[in-house]
Amino acid sequence: MKKKAFINMQLLDGSENMAPCPGYVLVTEGDKITAVAPEKEIAMEDCEIVNLEGRYLMPGLINLHVHIPADGKPRKKPADAKKAVKFATANVFTRKYLEHIYKVNVYTELLSGVTTLRCVGGVENYDTWIRDAVRSGRVPGPRILAANKAISVPGGHMAGSLAYEAATAEEAVRYVHDISRDKPDLIKLMITGGVLDAAAKGEPGVLKMPPSIVKAACEEAHKLGYRVAAHAESTEGVRVALENGVDTIEHGAVPTAEIIGLFRETSAAHVATISPALPYALFDPAVSHADEMSRHNGKVVFDGIIECAKQCIANGIPVGLGTDTGCPYVTHYDMWREIQYFHKCCGVSKAYALYTATRRNAEILGLGDVTGSIEAGKSADFIVTKENPLVDLTALRNLSMVVARGNIIVNPKIKKMPEVETELDKYVRSHLGDDVEDTNEASN
């Protein structure tokens, strides 16, 4: 519980219009920030001094959309999710290996600067298992909000692997109760299909879950005190989700005026996930191994997510960020890329992109009074970079320090996938440009 004083830094506080503040000192005691003020106002006699040598300190990143057991490794053909889950849970030895994967992947998220993450569909109840292991200090990792297995419908997205199959409203209600036994933090619904399970070109995100099932699941979840997140990748799917009680729209699609009105009426938020759609939309098929239908549908989803985020921002609707880690080319260490894509594709300033990935994401989770900004009384969750991320977001790529709930990791090292790094760097540069001019529209 010894106090630590972080000195000689440039402070980025996580606010919407953040700018570097030199000469500040941040004091922690245990897992809390106890003071943030100019150096002349801080008494440091009883503190251990941590000299940051002029580096930049900002809130830890928050990743709102993660599937922990998958790693994002690209494959020549889509993996059989049902077969993979069946194998992983086959016996005591495969389950031990699954536990190992969970431990490695959450630690990778932490090393990359993610100090809070939300799981939105995992194997059985392993999401709450790893959450509790981290919370108790048995496993190093970020703060975790866990959904465990989601609810889908027969033939629906991730049905039979990362989601139960509810054929009726009554079955959906029963699954909500089954999931609730492990005390998750939210309930996840798979309302539409996705890119890889689309049956026709131009029709990703087909509505799979009837409105009656969505409504029943949401009502029961809310009765039990849980918020509901929904996979929705079509305009119809987003509308049905909002009309029937969903709290966060994961991914999104081109919104209508009616949908914007529903967002306002329900106080729901949009969680943009640009990372998984980008390889399908932009990569050469020889690299992505996507067939023509998947590539076309990937572009539809890519454009829909971006347009949904833009319109929500323009209308004052909360927009958060998540990576959808586990999809091909989406790793557990690339939250910084999602922030960069948000800046480049949605035209927001770098400050606003960083604010979204920190304070705004915390607010969407209901943790705005716990984390997401550098303030006295909040959790000691922050990262340190050598360069200024407001000038170049790639400063987040290699961190000097990660602090999560007061625990310090200096110069974190991550084992990366060279083929993923090479292809993402190449295509982002060629299609999106090295950078785009900042606009202040989103932060005014």
Side-chain angles (χ1 to χ4, degrees):
M1 294 294 289
K2 183 174 176 62
K3 289 184 179 181
K4 293 182 174 66
F6 295 80
I7 68 168
N8 192 10
M9 65 172 174
Q10 302 272 349
L11 176 66
L12 302 174
D13 63 7
S15 60
E16 193 170 332
N17 296 299
M18 71 182 87
C21 295
Y24 270 66
V25 171
L26 182 150
V27 178
T28 66
E29 186 169 1
D31 62 355
K32 290 286 191 294
I33 298 171
T34 57
V36 185
E39 185 172 352
K40 63 183 180 182
E41 300 176 15
I42 296 283
M44 295 183 282
E45 292 80 3
D46 59 344
C47 294
E48 175 185 336
I49 302 300
V50 183
N51 189 339
L52 297 181
E53 300 177 338
R55 289 178 169 84
Y56 295 81
L57 184 150
M58 63 169 282
L61 306 179
I62 299 175
N63 190 343
L64 292 190
H65 195 111
V66 178
H67 300 284
I68 296 175
D71 60 12
K73 184 177 181 179
R75 293 172 174 81
K76 291 186 177 180
K77 61 179 182 179
D80 186 326
K82 287 184 180 179
K83 186 181 292 186
V85 170
K86 184 177 181 181
F87 173 79
T89 57
N91 56 59
V92 65
F93 301 106
T94 57
R95 284 179 177 274
K96 281 294 181 186
Y97 185 64
L98 180 61
E99 290 179 6
H100 170 72
I101 290 172
Y102 263 78
K103 292 175 184 178
V104 168
N105 289 348
V106 298
Y107 190 52
T108 299
E109 291 272 353
L110 179 62
L111 293 177
S112 74
V114 172
T115 55
T116 299
L117 66 79
R118 182 180 64 153
C119 318
V120 282
V123 177
E124 296 181 351
N125 65 346
Y126 280 85
D127 287 357
T128 50
W129 169 80
I130 193 69
R131 176 201 66 190
D132 294 345
V134 171
R135 187 179 288 169
S136 68
R138 290 179 286 121
V139 173
R143 177 185 294 101
I144 294 173
L145 279 74
N148 282 338
K149 203 168 178 178
I151 300 173
S152 188
V153 293
H157 193 61
M158 305 308 293
S161 56
L162 302 186
Y164 295 106
E165 300 176 76
T168 66
E170 291 73 22
E171 284 187 0
V173 168
R174 190 178 77 242
Y175 284 131
V176 169
H177 280 273
D178 289 347
I179 295 165
S180 74
R181 291 195 188 106
D182 292 297
K183 296 182 171 31
D185 300 286
L186 69 151
I187 300 294
K188 172 74 180 296
L189 303 181
M190 302 292 192
I191 290 180
T192 75
V195 172
L196 294 182
D197 50 22
K201 188 175 179 180
E203 294 183 1
V206 170
L207 182 65
K208 299 280 188 176
M209 184 174 283
S212 59
I213 293 181
V214 179
K215 183 174 182 178
C218 288
E219 287 181 348
E220 200 62 27
H222 291 158
K223 282 180 188 176
L224 296 174
Y226 298 117
R227 301 185 78 207
V228 180
H231 169 102
E233 292 189 344
S234 66
T235 299
E236 182 185 19
V238 172
R239 178 183 58 77
V240 167
L242 293 173
E243 284 179 339
N244 291 283
V246 164
D247 300 292
T248 62
I249 298 295
E250 312 294 311
H251 315 303
V254 177
T256 61
E258 179 188 15
I259 284 173
I260 294 298
L262 285 168
F263 267 114
R264 286 202 183 108
E265 180 184 326
T266 61
S267 299
H270 171 224
V271 177
T273 56
I274 300 170
S275 295
L278 186 141
Y280 289 104
L282 301 184
F283 279 21
D284 186 317
V287 174
S288 67
H289 305 294
D291 58 29
E292 175 57 29
M293 185 173 76
S294 294
R295 190 162 188 258
H296 180 88
N297 288 341
K299 186 65 164 61
V300 172
V301 170
F302 180 73
D303 293 341
I305 291 170
I306 292 168
E307 185 59 26
C308 192
K310 284 182 174 180
Q311 289 200 35
C312 283
I313 291 168
N315 285 278
I317 293 158
V319 173
L321 295 178
T323 57
D324 202 0
T325 294
C327 293
Y329 289 97
V330 189
T331 72
H332 284 285
Y333 55 80
D334 272 346
M335 180 62 187
W336 76 269
R337 289 190 188 274
E338 184 68 27
I339 299 167
Q340 187 184 50
Y341 300 156
F342 187 53
H343 162 60
K344 288 173 179 275
C345 298
C346 296
V348 301
S349 69
K350 296 185 184 79
Y352 192 84
L354 292 173
Y355 152 75
T356 301
T358 55
R359 185 168 190 158
R360 176 59 101 184
N361 273 0
E363 291 168 348
I364 289 171
L365 291 179
L367 295 176
D369 59 344
V370 175
T371 190
S373 58
I374 306 298
E375 298 177 74
K378 289 195 175 182
S379 181
D381 301 331
F382 49 89
I383 58 177
V384 178
T385 63
K386 184 177 180 181
E387 306 298 335
N388 184 359
L390 292 177
V391 173
D392 186 352
L393 288 169
T394 63
L396 300 172
R397 189 172 196 163
N398 297 296
L399 303 177
S400 301
M401 182 181 292
V402 176
V403 180
R405 302 177 306 286
N407 297 306
I408 300 174
I409 303 172
V410 178
N411 295 321
K413 303 299 180 187
I414 298 170
K415 184 177 180 180
K416 298 184 178 181
M417 301 178 200
E419 69 274 27
V420 171
E421 298 294 284
T422 298
E423 294 302 331
L424 287 175
D425 287 350
K426 179 169 61 178
Y427 280 92
V428 168
R429 191 177 301 114
S430 63
H431 285 78
L432 300 178
D434 286 325
D435 211 342
V436 295
E437 184 178 345
D438 276 356
T439 67
N440 292 314
E441 293 177 1
S443 52
N444 286 339

